[in-house]
Amino acid sequence: DGVGINREWGTAAEKAKYDRAILPKGCKIPLNMTLEVPFESSEEATEYKNSFASLIKALEKGEIRLGAAKTRGLGKVQLFNFSIRESNLSERDGILKALQGKDEIINSAIFLQSSIISSRRKKLTFEINWQPQSPLMVKAEGNGIAVDILPLVSAIDSSLTFVLPGSSIKGAFRFQAERIIRTVCPSLINRNVDFLDQIEVPLVNELFGTRAKAKKETKKGIGSLFIDDCYANKIISPSDWGNIEAATNENNLREALNNANLQNVQQAFHIAIDRWT
């Protein structure tokens, strides 16, 4: 779940709530690609194969993202454990082999070395290990029994850990960048506009991206800043986290946290204050 933030009030913007169905980190997806290579020209066939090899290299390095919200931590994939088969469908024997599943297996290493295409895109990658100075959490969609608000966790292979989504980090950075630009250029401040007009800020759009204002408008920019999800170094087993969710009282919760090696994590109590009494 996510919401847009009203830039004037710092609260959830009207009609700016959105929901996504996502796959957790560590999911494995089978992928099949078919490349049809023309054989009329050897130069053209070589160009096709080189482009295909460049694509596979990019997938191996995790340089290609899939799906939506690619700049906000989602869609990062990496190709592994693959094989390349070649069929000659211009000849009878090649067609029979393809139908029988006896295609020629090509040495992947030799095939990839044949690539002569290199990416011209320049990029900088920063990896930061950090520690919050005060308590920090992102709310999970579901609640526990003893705890009303649980922190968001994400799967890493067969385990779980706390996660700060790339969308949360990028949203905080964008909000700060907009504040800087509006401070330098006060003429950009317009309080009587809707949410989509509030986020139209020069320089910020180019860095963080922009979206179409209406369904018929297709022009939008993806932005040049990509921020991945941030995972805690603490690994939690699914069974231990299930015990935390199922804890019925404070003692059960403390025991479940200790069993999950989360001794430094504690329950925080809050109450609402009646404004009259």
Side-chain angles (χ1 to χ4, degrees), residues 50-78:
N50 286 342
S51 298
F52 187 63
S54 297
L55 173 62
I56 295 178
K57 282 184 176 180
L59 286 171
E60 272 194 306
K61 296 178 180 179
E63 295 177 348
I64 297 177
R65 300 193 180 216
L66 306 179
K70 292 185 286 289
T71 65
R72 287 173 280 180
L74 300 185
K76 190 173 184 179
V77 297
Q78 187 170 13

Side-chain angles (χ1 to χ4, degrees), residues 13-274:
E14 273 194 68
K15 300 180 181 180
K17 183 181 185 299
Y18 55 90
D19 307 304
R20 290 193 181 96
I22 63 175
L23 297 176
K25 182 177 180 178
C27 287
K28 297 179 181 179
I29 306 172
L31 173 67
N32 291 292
M33 294 188 294
T34 301
L35 174 68
E36 295 184 4
V37 181
F39 290 91
E40 292 79 3
S41 169
S42 60
E43 292 184 2
E44 190 176 2
T46 300
E47 183 179 350
Y48 271 58
K49 292 182 178 180
N50 286 342
S51 298
F52 187 63
S54 297
L55 173 62
I56 295 178
K57 282 184 176 180
L59 286 171
E60 272 194 306
K61 296 178 180 179
E63 295 177 348
I64 297 177
R65 300 193 180 216
L66 306 179
K70 292 185 286 289
T71 65
R72 287 173 280 180
L74 300 185
K76 190 173 184 179
V77 297
Q78 187 170 13
L79 181 67
F80 67 98
N81 191 24
F82 66 94
S83 61
I84 302 176
R85 296 175 177 269
E86 186 174 28
S87 302
N88 186 354
L89 302 182
S90 64
E91 300 178 354
R92 179 178 181 275
D93 290 342
I95 295 175
L96 291 176
K97 286 183 178 180
L99 293 174
Q100 296 170 353
K102 298 180 179 179
D103 305 324
E104 180 183 356
I105 299 178
I106 300 177
N107 187 307
S108 301
I110 295 177
F111 178 78
L112 294 180
Q113 287 176 359
S114 67
S115 173
I116 59 174
I117 300 176
S118 59
S119 175
R120 297 179 179 179
R121 182 178 57 183
K122 302 296 183 181
K123 64 178 182 179
L124 291 174
T125 301
F126 299 90
E127 183 173 340
I128 303 171
N129 294 315
W130 63 281
Q131 184 173 351
Q133 294 180 340
S134 61
L136 172 68
M137 71 168 290
V138 174
K139 180 183 180 298
E141 180 180 359
N143 300 330
I145 297 177
V147 182
D148 298 316
I149 300 176
L150 288 170
L152 182 65
V153 296
S154 178
I156 297 183
D157 297 327
S158 60
S159 301
L160 300 172
T161 191
F162 300 118
V163 61
L164 185 61
S167 57
S168 295
I169 304 173
K170 188 173 181 181
F173 284 3
R174 178 168 189 147
F175 191 89
Q176 179 74 352
E178 290 179 10
R179 188 187 68 82
I180 294 172
I181 297 298
R182 289 193 177 98
T183 301
V184 177
C185 305
S187 60
L188 295 175
I189 299 177
N190 188 349
R191 303 183 184 276
N192 299 317
V193 296
D194 61 21
F195 170 69
L196 292 180
D197 290 325
Q198 286 181 349
I199 60 178
E200 290 293 325
V201 180
L203 297 181
V204 176
N205 286 344
E206 286 72 19
L207 182 60
F208 291 89
T210 184
R211 57 175 295 177
K213 296 181 182 179
K215 293 182 178 179
K216 295 182 180 180
E217 185 179 348
T218 58
K219 184 179 179 181
K220 54 184 178 179
I222 195 174
S224 56
L225 179 64
F226 288 67
I227 297 180
D228 290 328
D229 290 344
C230 181
Y231 296 92
N233 293 326
K234 182 71 68 174
I235 298 300
I236 310 169
S237 70
S239 59
D240 286 339
W241 185 250
N243 292 333
I244 294 173
E245 292 179 314
T248 56
N249 54 55
E250 187 177 355
N251 291 332
N252 293 149
L253 178 63
R254 186 69 267 167
E255 182 180 357
L257 290 172
N258 291 337
N259 292 336
N261 293 322
L262 296 174
Q263 290 82 1
N264 294 332
V265 177
Q266 64 183 16
Q267 183 178 6
F269 297 92
H270 298 272
I271 59 172
I273 300 300
D274 186 284

